[in-house]
Amino acid sequence: MWQSSPPGSIYDYIRVASFSIGPDGLVEQWSRRAVELFGVTAEEARGKDPVEAFMPADLRERGHRRVREILDGKEWTGLVPFRMPGEDRPHGVAEMYVMPSETAAGERAALCIVVDVRALRRIETDLAASQAIFGQSPFGFLLFGTDLTVKRANRRFATVFGGSADDHRGRTVHDYLPAVEADRMAAALRRVLETGESVADLQIVGAAPGSTDRRQWSVNLYRVHGGSGRPVGVAGLGIDVTRRHNAVREAASARRNLALLNEAGARIGTSLDLEATARELLAVAVPGFCDLAAVDLYQGLLTGDEAPPGRWGGSHDVGYGAGSAELRRVAVASAVSDTRVQVGRPRAAGDDTAAGTGGAGGAGGTRGTGGPAGAASTAGAAATAGAEREVCCDEGPIEVGSVHRYPFNSPCAGALRTGRVHSVPGAEGSLVQSTLVVPMVAHDTVVGLVQFSRARGSEAFGERDRALAVELAARAAVCIDNARLYRREHERALILQRSLLPPGDPEAAGLDIACRYLPGTAATEVGGDWFDVIQLPGHRTALVVGDVMGRGLRAAVAMGELRTAVRTLAQLDLEPAEVLSHLDEIARGLGAPVGAQQSARAHKARGPELSEVYLATCVYAVYDPVTRRCTFANAGHLPPVLVAPGEEALLLDVPPGMPLGVGGEPFEEVEVELPEGALLALYTDGLVESRDHPLDEGLSAFRSALANPGRPLEDVADHVLTTLDTRHGEDDIALLMARIQGLPAEAVGDWRLPREPRSVGRARELARAQLSAWELDPLVDTVELLVSELVTNALRYGEGEIRLRLLRDRTLVCEVWDAGLVQPRRRRAKDTDEGGRGLQLVGLLSAAWGSRRTPRGKTVWFELDLPDGDGLAEPTVDQLLSMF
């Protein structure tokens, strides 16, 4: 059957030319291909002698001889040099096939078939090169036809997929690859064949026949064309990149782990809250490392028990309750869409208890995302600490916040006892593929347990995953243990600090007092703020507010020492400036070792001693309710605020002086008369100072909050704290407020007595009359006796005029003043002495007694409790005999 040859045949590549020679040896016919080959048109060639026209001169004789032989009927094949007309040198070499022929008249003629030798050699070279590349290539090479069947395969491909190269002819990609991958490959072949666009590095996954090892190939496809340019198929070059792919995965895994550890360092331990730290750990781990996770901490650790959590080491397992103590589930996180997936007490069956090594899966390190729908959706993590997702196990559900125990033989209890990672496979039918049970160990102390789980469809845990899990758990454990230790120290410091503050609501004569103390939150360290209300003789009151610079337990201890020193100095009844001067000396010695102060004084030329410096600010004020005058001294503290009735709040102009501990500068006193009903406020900087606003704004807001002081004092204190933007938690806050209520004139008896013996009797009379006016008759006898003793001592040992004063408030105070500077001293009289027992009698019959210096001498005083209707207790015989 006749049909046209398809384009792209071998003749298209060879490009054969023809012409004929007549009986006369001249060209009769000249084909178009001859025109293309020789560059001579048919009109120019016909009638020409081919030898004379196309052959060099030195070869023409031989050429004529060959033409005569051909016209005699001899066939000939050979190489013939030729040149273009008009050129002196040959243009090329042609391979010529000459066949004798006859004309219609029976004359001899010839038909010549001519091929350019260069085209033949080029084809031969291309074929050889193609064969070498195709056959000797170290990569798999396939040639697919337009029907996408294999037309040719090289030896390397046959080595991998079996058989000889010819055995693969006619096969399709479905004969080599799984269905999904074969469909991808076939679609790529069709696209390349239709569009002509090459495909580079198409990743195909499959396995060689007879092998279960998954291989990774990189396939390059390009369309192949015939000589006419028509597509004749697709060439495919496949390279096995499994090792390279594994190396890339390992590198990606290493980078992922480093990034995860870097993220853990930045995100875990940002707070001192134990449960918040556990949630931070899970926020890092899910979904970047696993699909589900849960954290359990020892219940004793959360409740602040002093007993340490579990400890482990070597072969001695001294775990907290041998690994089965009470734990609390504090956090759960999940990136799994199916809510049936649960994290709880893993089954003991199939437990892998290798010490931190081994485990499910291969080298691991890269999280997989394949698998059945819903098994491992890692699009986002639902960090569900406290979420309603139920976390359960064979023994029952474990909800967030619940307290539970692990059975002694369970993997979790074993991990807690040994401090080693346990790998537990998922239960059959569960969507959990495997779980890593990792103890949280810090400084050889087990503080809890974390479980990392991966769902089916994710990549199994490998060696690198186990090491990463241990590192994540250890980092969180260190943060949790540090938080535990800090919390313990913080609580101790708070106990110390609060034990040094005045208990309850302090009371004072002539003052209505309200106080507030707000410590910093658990996120901040304990500060050194303190306040105090100290009862002084004569119904006077010392009001103190101070702040040790710095934070922590040392600041709290320094505050305690200063507060104790203030109380001691106050009992000596020193002037406020003297009190601060002595406190300054004490503050400078707080951070120095024993003897350092003496050494510093003896060797000032050497420079300061290497010791910790404690600085503190303090306001010390003494209020006298009889005169309603208050004396202030300030050591670098914020000024007191005074609000007189009907006036705006005023910052008292008290010279601030230098903070305690600086030394070298004297302190000044300021005496202020306080009007009845006025409000006095002492405070620390935490009330008015913040990073968000300057001090002046805080002081202005504080004064505005005191604008209506007529309300009950407790309400005023609450209003101040709720109105001011104190940023509570950044610093401690101490606030001491006092409303002035001076002693009324009828509660004071004041007399001056001449320096003569009859003043003793006069003093008794005055005291008796005043007590009767106050309806304190049960105290008359005792007061008369003690007044006689004190006035007698003033006459005998004192100087100048004598002053007697009785004060009635919550107690009765009697004071005897004179100008002598010698302080009375209580001593034990000898059995034969007739005197010397007066002060013993005063101490025996009074609730308290003492003496203090005054600007013009001294004052000796005693204090008696007011009668409560039951009468005064008489001294016993033993008490009276103790004076002899």
Side-chain angles (χ1 to χ4, degrees), residues 28-296:
E28 288 187 343
Q29 295 179 348
W30 192 259
S31 69
R32 293 181 180 178
R33 287 285 178 86
V35 175
E36 297 174 2
L37 177 62
F38 294 103
V40 178
T41 63
E43 290 77 7
E44 295 174 339
R46 281 195 294 265
K48 296 284 184 70
D49 185 342
V51 175
E52 294 294 334
F54 301 109
M55 295 187 66
D58 56 339
L59 297 178
R60 289 174 183 172
E61 182 179 353
R62 185 179 176 182
H64 286 299
R65 186 170 56 251
R66 289 293 183 189
V67 171
R68 288 192 296 269
E69 292 176 356
I70 293 170
L71 293 177
D72 288 342
K74 184 179 179 181
E75 293 185 1
W76 180 80
T77 302
L79 298 177
V80 178
F82 66 92
R83 65 177 179 83
M84 297 297 293
E87 294 183 359
D88 297 332
R89 294 178 6 181
H91 184 70
V93 178
E95 186 169 353
M96 186 175 295
Y97 305 88
V98 182
M99 297 171 288
S101 63
E102 291 183 359
T103 64
E107 294 178 318
R108 297 279 180 92
L111 177 63
C112 302
I113 305 298
V114 185
V115 178
D116 191 347
V117 173
R118 294 174 300 177
L120 291 175
R121 297 297 176 263
R122 188 164 54 248
I123 292 173
E124 291 174 356
T125 301
D126 291 346
L127 288 174
S130 176
Q131 181 62 29
I133 294 174
F134 199 86
Q136 301 174 21
S137 173
F139 310 117
F141 217 140
L142 289 176
L143 180 61
F144 295 91
T146 54
D147 57 354
L148 302 186
T149 60
V150 177
K151 300 302 182 183
R152 188 175 181 185
N154 70 345
R155 187 180 303 111
R156 176 58 182 170
F157 183 86
T159 301
V160 175
F161 287 92
S164 64
D166 293 337
D167 294 338
H168 295 278
R169 295 181 185 274
R171 294 185 180 180
T172 67
V173 291
H174 288 82
D175 295 321
Y176 305 106
L177 300 173
V180 176
E181 295 293 274
D183 291 341
R184 289 180 58 232
M185 182 73 173
L189 287 171
R190 282 192 296 270
R191 187 166 61 253
V192 171
L193 187 61
E194 293 171 359
T195 65
E197 296 180 358
S198 301
V199 172
D201 196 24
L202 175 64
Q203 297 293 316
I204 297 296
V205 178
S211 174
T212 58
D213 294 338
R214 291 169 62 88
R215 312 298 295 176
Q216 188 96 9
W217 289 288
S218 174
V219 177
N220 299 297
L221 304 175
Y222 59 93
R223 191 167 68 182
V224 179
H225 301 83
S228 63
R230 187 183 65 89
V232 296
V234 178
L237 177 66
I239 302 174
D240 190 337
V241 293
T242 305
R243 291 185 178 180
R244 185 179 71 186
H245 181 72
N246 290 341
V248 170
R249 291 179 60 199
E250 290 294 321
S253 172
R255 288 193 299 270
R256 177 184 63 86
N257 290 353
L258 288 175
L260 202 63
L261 289 176
N262 182 62
E263 183 183 7
R267 297 181 60 183
I268 298 177
T270 59
S271 71
L272 293 172
D273 183 84
L274 278 66
E275 297 184 14
T277 301
R279 292 193 293 269
E280 291 168 349
L281 168 62
L282 299 193
V284 171
V286 179
F289 176 69
C290 62
D291 300 315
L292 304 97
V295 176
D296 298 312

Side-chain angles (χ1 to χ4, degrees), residues 414-466:
L416 291 170
R417 285 195 304 272
T418 63
R420 298 175 178 178
V421 180
H422 286 230
S423 179
V424 183
E428 187 173 350
S430 170
L431 291 181
V432 173
Q433 180 191 82
S434 61
T435 298
L436 289 179
V437 180
V438 186
M440 303 177 73
V441 183
H443 312 116
D444 292 340
T445 299
V446 180
V447 299
L449 188 76
V450 58
Q451 300 177 48
F452 301 109
S453 300
R454 285 184 180 173
R456 299 192 185 278
S458 296
E459 188 169 349
F461 288 113
E463 299 295 335
R464 184 177 285 109
D465 294 320
R466 296 173 69 93

